[in-house]
């Protein structure tokens, strides 16, 4: 059983809805309160991750009633917790070439979702929104696709900048048709858009599979990273269950970010390796183990 005490974490680890549902119950507000009681100072929503495809659309924070979003935002505020990222979601599923094709109608669908996500972020007191540039367009040269993505993201940044909201670009390792897969691609896009509202979501789970060499690649794109997400490989469970050496990674991030006066949220975008309360205890212990070596 989890020992209920307020741990003094050195970093802003962000559980998500479901991380502690067996201990806290199904109510989302109770899950936030439970995480706060354990000492977590951030919370995120990645409801799209691992959801069966027929149920993919219309869920997550973008699918909630405004009044309920207000309750979530108010709860986080009262607990002095920071809202992490939530997923804006694809235009369609399987993903289409809304960004890469340059099609004006598809681009406008994307921008309309950006406008809608602003209200969601405000109600949650959130500053981060996960954006994935959907599918590649095999009919176009890669460079043309990239130019089209940059144009779409520039227009999105114009929507987010006045509100102090940052879209964080997430590379994915699946499905195979996705356009954005590597940290260097993210870096190129962020530099080209040249806005505080367009940064990199350095997702350790996806990038370990797509490119590996996480420490080196992290340093190469460091100045454009806005957010981290965690998940071990191959099973996408908590740290310590797979091949990634999280202790080394987090020691490096902690040392560098502290020396530069930076602060990141670390989204716990993974499943629990064990079922029930036993799995939630293992989840908590994995983060206590990481934090202890910082």
């Amino acid at each position: 059983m989890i020992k209920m005490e307020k741990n003094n974490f050195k970093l802003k680890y962000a559980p998500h809805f479901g991380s502690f549902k067996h201990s806290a119950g199904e109510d989302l507000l109770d899950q936030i309160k439970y995480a706060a009681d354990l000492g977590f100072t951030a919370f995120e929503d990645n409801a799209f991750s691992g959801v069966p495809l027929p149920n993919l659309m219309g869920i997550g924070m973008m699918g909630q009633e405004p009044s309920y979003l207000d309750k979530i935002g108010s709860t986080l505020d009262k607990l002095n917790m920071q809202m992490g990222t939530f997923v804006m979601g694809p235009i369609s599923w399987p993903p289409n070439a809304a960004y890469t094709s340059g099609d004006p109608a598809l681009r406008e669908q994307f921008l309309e979702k950006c406008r809608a996500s602003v209200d969601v972020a405000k109600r949650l007191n959130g500053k981060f929104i996960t954006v994935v540039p959907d599918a590649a367009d095999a009919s176009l040269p890669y460079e043309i696709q990239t130019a089209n993505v940059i144009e779409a993201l520039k227009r999105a940044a114009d929507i987010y900048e006045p509100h102090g909201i940052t879209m964080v670009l997430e590379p994915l390792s699946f499905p195979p048709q996705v356009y954005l897969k590597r940290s260097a691609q993210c870096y190129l896009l962020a530099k080209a858009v040249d806005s505080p509202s367009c940064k990199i979501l350095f997702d350790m789970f996806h990038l370990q599979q797509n490119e590996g060499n996480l420490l080196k690649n992290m340093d190469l794109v460091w100045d454009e990273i806005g957010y981290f997400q965690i998940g071990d490989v191959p099973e996408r469970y908590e740290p310590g269950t797979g091949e990634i050496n999280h202790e080394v990674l987090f020691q490096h991030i902690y040392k560098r970010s502290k020396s530069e006066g930076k602060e990141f949220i670390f989204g716990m975008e993974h499943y629990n390796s064990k079922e029930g309360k036993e799995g939630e205890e293992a989840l908590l212990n994995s983060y206590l183990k990481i934090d202890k070596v910082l």
Side-chain angles (χ1 to χ4, degrees):
M1 294 290 292
I2 292 178
K3 185 179 180 181
M4 284 303 297
E5 61 181 53
K6 199 152 191 148
N7 301 285
N8 187 26
F9 291 111
K10 299 182 184 72
L11 296 175
K12 284 185 174 291
Y13 308 111
H16 58 86
F17 295 114
S19 292
F20 296 104
K21 67 179 182 180
H22 296 285
S23 298
E26 293 289 341
D27 185 84
L28 303 189
L29 302 181
D30 287 341
Q31 291 181 34
I32 293 172
K33 293 171 186 176
Y34 188 85
D37 286 342
L38 291 174
F40 291 101
T41 54
F43 211 89
E44 71 171 19
D45 176 61
N46 42 54
F48 284 85
S49 301
V51 175
L53 299 189
N55 300 322
L56 187 65
M57 307 305 292
I59 61 172
M61 293 298 97
M62 292 288 288
Q64 301 298 324
E65 290 294 325
S67 60
Y68 197 61
L69 294 172
D70 290 340
K71 288 180 181 179
I72 293 173
S74 176
T75 300
L76 290 166
D77 186 55
K78 288 176 182 177
L79 296 170
N80 199 29
M81 295 182 79
Q82 187 174 353
M83 180 64 197
T85 194
F86 64 91
V87 183
M88 192 177 75
I91 304 304
S92 66
W93 195 266
N96 62 22
Y99 304 64
T100 53
S101 68
D103 182 283
L106 291 176
R107 180 183 293 163
E108 182 53 34
Q109 288 181 42
F110 159 62
L111 295 175
E112 192 56 38
K113 289 202 77 171
C114 291
R115 296 182 190 102
S117 69
V118 169
D119 181 67
V120 175
K122 284 184 173 182
R123 292 180 182 278
L124 294 169
N125 297 318
K127 297 296 182 183
F128 297 97
I129 298 172
T130 300
V131 171
V132 177
D134 290 6
D137 187 334
S139 70
L140 294 175
Y142 173 77
E143 295 81 0
I144 301 299
Q145 295 183 66
T146 299
N148 290 336
V149 173
I150 291 169
E151 180 61 26
L153 295 177
K154 281 184 174 181
R155 298 190 188 192
D158 288 341
I159 293 171
Y160 290 131
E161 272 192 35
H163 307 284
I165 296 170
T166 301
M167 57 179 164
V168 284
L169 308 178
E170 182 180 20
L172 298 180
S173 53
F174 56 82
Q177 68 266 37
V178 295
Y179 163 80
L180 192 59
K181 297 183 177 183
R182 296 176 291 106
S183 58
Q185 279 180 286
C186 296
Y187 189 76
L188 186 155
L189 295 174
K191 284 295 185 186
V193 175
D194 191 23
S195 166
S197 288
C198 183
K199 294 297 177 181
I200 298 170
L201 195 171
F202 196 92
D203 188 300
M204 299 174 188
F205 169 75
H206 290 300
L207 290 174
Q208 171 68 4
Q209 295 174 86
N210 290 350
E211 61 187 30
N213 211 357
L214 293 179
L215 274 179
K216 178 181 178 181
N217 290 325
M218 182 192 304
D219 278 343
L220 286 173
V221 304
W222 177 266
D223 61 305
E224 293 295 340
I225 295 176
Y227 199 99
F228 286 93
Q229 282 185 327
I230 308 159
D232 217 334
V233 174
E235 297 298 334
R236 202 172 195 173
Y237 293 143
E238 69 269 11
T241 57
E243 66 189 40
I244 298 177
N245 191 329
H246 289 86
E247 285 84 358
V248 170
L249 282 172
F250 275 82
Q251 284 175 337
H252 181 76
I253 295 169
Y254 181 70
K255 182 178 179 180
R256 181 164 183 180
S257 59
K258 193 171 184 180
S259 69
E260 297 178 9
K262 292 185 175 181
E263 185 178 62
F264 297 100
I265 294 176
F266 298 84
M268 297 158 57
E269 194 193 23
H270 53 72
Y271 308 105
N272 296 353
S273 61
K274 299 177 182 178
E275 295 294 327
K277 293 182 179 180
E278 181 186 5
E280 293 170 4
E281 183 177 10
L283 169 68
L284 175 62
N285 287 335
S286 73
Y287 282 90
L288 290 173
K289 182 180 178 182
I290 289 174
D291 208 69
K292 189 176 181 179
V293 302
L294 300 181

